[in-house]
Amino acid sequence: MKNKLYINIIFLLMSINLFSQNSFKAVYKMLLEKNGYSPTYYSLISKDRDSEFKLIERIIPEKVVSNEYTGEIVLNTETPDSIQPVIRTNFKQEKIYSYDFITEDDGKTYTGYSIVEPITVKWKLGNETKKIDKYLCKKATTRFRGRNYVAWYTEEIPISIGPWKFHGLPGIIINMTDNTNQVSFLLEKIEIPYDYLNNKLEVIDSEHAISVREFIEIRKNAKIKSREFFKKKVLSKLPRGANIELTQGGNNDIEIEF
């Protein structure tokens, strides 16, 4: 009887570990300064050592924001939900496949690109702990693509798959932010195990994928063209002889170094 009980406990623990690694769904709230800190919600689904990070809902910021003191006007371009990046991670290959979009005409049309890169995030685990909601969390830090991040993870949920491209911690990430507070992730909910049979993961063309550096170079040139397109479009609606000056702020993309 004791042996049977022992075997049942082992089987249960193996099942929990299998579910935690192979079938779960988490929802993260992502806040970016470049989006005016408007909440954006992403699902993180894991299936057979393959994961997907994909948009499920976002709060659209005001299209026009004006500063009554400086006279500065900020235009927030609205990108369709269908034109949002998808991140797929293949842990067997230790590679991240992304599908992202670029516009050269201020959002009139978009071109999609498949991108491939290795999993490269390296963590430094600390001794500091704190309670977030009901979870006891531990601190970890990393520098990735030009930003310094602090992550709080819990070993109470031993899942090493994280939001966006942040994998490899000994527990699921509950809260994460960079040191400038321009980027943050917050776990909203998690479902273990997750019935993914009716939810197919996005298929990304890995055969024709380009490197991150190639994609960034294409995007940089496209931004120049898109700004000129936007300027011409605005000038066409103004009186003849009018002129506008487009100012470009600092790089507040989530990735700023490569």
Side-chain angles (χ1 to χ4, degrees), residues 55-145:
L55 175 77
I56 54 175
E57 181 186 3
R58 64 193 178 122
I59 309 301
I60 306 297
E62 294 183 58
K63 290 186 177 181
V64 180
V65 180
S66 61
N67 187 317
E68 60 179 311
Y69 299 105
T70 65
E72 183 181 40
I73 297 177
V74 177
L75 300 178
N76 291 317
T77 57
E78 182 176 330
T79 307
D81 287 352
S82 59
I83 311 297
Q84 298 294 327
V86 177
I87 310 290
R88 283 283 303 272
T89 303
N90 187 314
F91 294 95
K92 293 179 182 178
Q93 298 179 7
E94 297 185 350
K95 290 182 179 179
I96 297 174
Y97 295 93
S98 308
Y99 195 72
D100 209 342
F101 299 85
I102 288 176
T103 179
E104 294 184 353
D105 51 17
D106 192 44
K108 186 177 181 180
T109 60
Y110 288 87
T111 302
Y113 292 86
S114 298
I115 309 142
V116 62
E117 60 186 293
I119 300 174
T120 58
V121 174
K122 299 184 184 302
W123 296 99
K124 182 179 180 181
L125 305 184
N127 297 320
E128 189 176 344
T129 63
K130 73 175 180 178
K131 202 79 176 286
I132 300 179
D133 291 333
K134 61 181 180 180
Y135 300 110
L136 177 63
C137 298
K138 295 184 177 180
K139 183 179 180 180
T141 58
T142 188
R143 181 172 176 81
F144 184 67
R145 301 279 161 80

Side-chain angles (χ1 to χ4, degrees), residues 19 23-27 44 159 189-195:
F19 282 136
S23 64
F24 75 87
K25 178 181 178 180
V27 174
L44 172 62
I159 292 175
K189 62 180 180 179
I190 186 166
E191 184 179 342
I192 307 173
Y194 176 64
D195 180 10

Side-chain angles (χ1 to χ4, degrees), residues 197-212:
L197 295 179
N198 297 322
N199 293 269
K200 294 183 179 180
L201 302 186
E202 292 280 345
V203 176
I204 295 179
D205 183 8
S206 59
E207 184 178 349
H208 299 96
I210 61 177
S211 69
V212 174

Side-chain angles (χ1 to χ4, degrees), residues 200-257:
K200 294 183 179 180
L201 302 186
E202 292 280 345
V203 176
I204 295 179
D205 183 8
S206 59
E207 184 178 349
H208 299 96
I210 61 177
S211 69
V212 174
R213 289 185 179 276
E214 289 176 300
F215 178 77
I216 295 304
E217 189 62 28
I218 295 171
R219 189 176 66 180
K220 183 175 70 173
N221 294 330
K223 281 184 176 181
I224 296 173
K225 294 179 180 179
S226 191
R227 283 170 60 83
E228 287 303 313
F229 183 94
F230 173 76
K231 184 175 181 178
K232 290 179 181 179
K233 182 171 65 174
V234 173
L235 286 175
S236 68
K237 301 180 183 299
L238 296 177
R240 182 176 298 180
N243 192 24
I244 61 172
E245 182 180 347
L246 300 180
T247 59
Q248 185 172 358
N251 187 353
N252 59 357
D253 288 333
I254 189 170
E255 297 172 295
I256 55 180
E257 289 181 7

